[in-house]
Amino acid sequence: MRFPIEQKGLVDVSLVVCPVRHRDTGETGADDAARSPADEPRPRLCCPDKTRPANMSEVNKTIQRWHASFRKATDFDSWGQLVEAIDEYQILARQLQKEVQSTNASDFTEEQKKTLGKIATCLEMRSASLQCTQSKEDFKLEELKKLETIIQTILTYNKVFPFDVQPVPSRKILAPGEEENLELEEEEEDGEEEEDAAAAGAGSTEAFPPRAPASQGTLLPRLPSEPGMTLLTLKIEKIGLKDAGQCIDPYMTISVKDLNGVDVNPVQDTPVACRKEDTYVHFSVDIEIQRHVEKLPKGAAIFFEFKHYKPKKRFTSTKCFAFMEMDEIKPGPIVIELYKKPTDFKRKKLQLLTKKPLYLHLHQTLHKDS
């Protein structure tokens, strides 16, 4: 549920009482009694299941999607539409990396996954070349186009990869939904809080320097304005957590997904949080959504994944997530509830993180070029 706060002058979001009706229990705060049913926010409805067509061979469909995405990106690149090209390169690179790092049963062999990982590296290199014209490691479009045939024939490709690159290294940032394969964290929560508290109290800032993403994050600049089109800036102010002070190197991953959970924008990571205070982790950072609001697909949502480092297990884990739907894009402050992991990008099985009044605090700014 969402609680946009109308502004008349400046309003301190932290002082506003935002009652929440919990989806799973129907319980409300004491102040809700005075509200009429008309005042209640409309509850979210989970998306209906979609029947999947019988195998035309799912793997061939996947390869066709990758190829189409590659052609789209290189076309944008050759036309000089660099923002769109960077967008498509990063989306495809992330899709390939997800396949490479998946621990589930796969239609691809380990050797094929290694090739996919190398293709993802090349896409990242080309994207970096477009973003930094003074890059010493310029990766040319003509070179990148050599990969098109490899993508199309990945199931039978057995030649030496044309470029001396390595797959993007796994940073042990677990893919959504895969974390329970490495740990039963829900059963260990209390014990982990004690572990992390001990580590944090033992000079953890120095002992555990910022890990991926780098401390400066991977945020992207605002897109160029277009007449009649709207851009969205989301300021992540803070997140409320009962153990906020114990989180090591906390940061947020922001993504925009369609109804099927597929990225429609480049994924961005915030810098490591600027400070921790009581039950809040403060970010105070602006996120520029990399697509005009009018061009976002129907049913899309903006996801916020809170991640932190676990020193004893030596990986970065998602602690909880939140999301905003398209009808909630309105200027001003908004407070949104937190859900338990794994991140459910299809929004079908949502479970609140806590019944306590702890939320993600955002501020939205819309930019429209008239």
Side-chain angles (χ1 to χ4, degrees), residues 32-321:
D32 280 1
R35 297 172 60 128
S36 69
D39 293 329
E40 288 290 355
R42 176 172 54 83
R44 284 182 172 148
L45 298 176
C46 293
C47 306
D49 289 332
K50 293 186 178 180
T51 56
R52 301 189 68 169
N55 264 350
M56 157 200 149
S57 174
E58 288 297 324
V59 65
N60 286 333
K61 289 182 183 178
T62 298
I63 294 170
Q64 287 177 8
R65 284 196 298 270
W66 290 343
H67 180 233
S69 180
F70 182 86
R71 286 294 300 272
K72 186 177 180 181
T74 53
D75 283 348
F76 279 137
D77 198 346
S78 62
W79 297 335
Q81 295 178 240
L82 303 189
V83 172
E84 292 83 355
I86 291 169
D87 188 332
E88 292 298 328
Y89 285 139
Q90 292 181 346
I91 289 173
L92 179 56
R94 192 168 183 90
Q95 290 173 350
L96 297 180
Q97 289 168 18
K98 183 177 179 181
E99 180 63 44
V100 170
Q101 297 179 13
S102 174
T103 58
N104 299 327
S106 174
D107 294 302
F108 299 96
T109 66
E110 288 305 310
E111 198 60 35
Q112 289 164 353
K113 284 186 174 183
K114 187 180 295 185
T115 301
L116 291 174
K118 291 181 178 181
I119 294 173
T121 298
C122 294
L123 293 170
E124 296 277 11
M125 291 171 66
R126 179 58 186 164
S127 177
S129 295
L130 295 179
Q131 293 178 71
C132 181
T133 56
Q134 298 178 348
S135 173
K136 295 180 181 179
E137 298 182 5
D138 191 19
F139 197 86
K140 304 292 186 184
L141 175 59
E142 294 73 20
E143 296 173 329
L144 189 71
K145 286 184 175 180
K146 296 177 182 178
L147 303 180
E148 182 173 358
T149 302
I150 300 177
I151 294 175
Q152 291 177 289
T153 61
I154 186 64
L155 295 178
T156 57
Y157 184 78
N158 58 4
K159 300 178 181 178
V160 176
F161 197 77
F163 306 109
D164 184 17
V165 297
Q166 294 301 316
V168 176
S170 174
R171 299 179 298 179
K172 289 191 176 180
I173 297 179
L174 304 181
E178 295 177 0
E179 294 171 36
E180 59 269 36
N181 294 334
L182 292 185
E183 58 167 343
L184 299 175
E185 186 175 48
E186 298 305 326
E187 298 177 5
E188 300 175 354
E189 195 69 42
D190 293 337
E192 283 188 342
E193 288 176 9
E194 293 175 4
E195 291 175 6
D196 287 350
S204 60
T205 301
E206 294 301 321
F208 303 101
R211 278 150 291 273
S215 57
Q216 69 270 21
T218 59
L219 299 182
L220 298 171
R222 188 181 306 167
L223 295 177
S225 59
E226 292 184 16
M229 305 299 283
T230 308
L231 290 168
L232 172 62
T233 300
L234 285 167
K235 187 180 189 68
I236 301 178
E237 295 181 336
K238 60 185 179 180
I239 184 173
L241 298 165
K242 64 180 181 180
D243 56 346
Q246 299 170 12
C247 296
I248 299 175
D249 293 347
Y251 68 97
M252 285 270 193
T253 295
I254 298 88
S255 57
V256 183
K257 309 281 186 180
D258 65 14
L259 279 172
N260 295 316
V262 177
D263 286 315
V264 298
N265 272 3
V267 177
Q268 303 182 63
D269 292 321
T270 69
V272 170
C274 57
R275 64 189 172 97
K276 294 173 277 187
E277 182 178 48
D278 298 327
T279 56
Y280 287 102
V281 177
H282 293 261
F283 287 91
S284 298
V285 64
D286 288 338
I287 312 299
E288 303 293 347
I289 300 303
Q290 298 293 300
R291 185 164 296 196
H292 293 89
V293 172
E294 293 82 359
K295 295 181 180 179
L296 291 170
K298 184 178 180 180
I302 303 170
F303 282 82
F304 307 84
E305 298 173 89
F306 180 84
K307 299 180 179 181
H308 65 126
Y309 183 72
K310 295 183 175 178
K312 290 207 170 182
K313 297 183 181 295
R314 298 189 178 182
F315 63 73
T316 298
S317 174
T318 300
K319 184 175 183 65
C320 59
F321 73 99

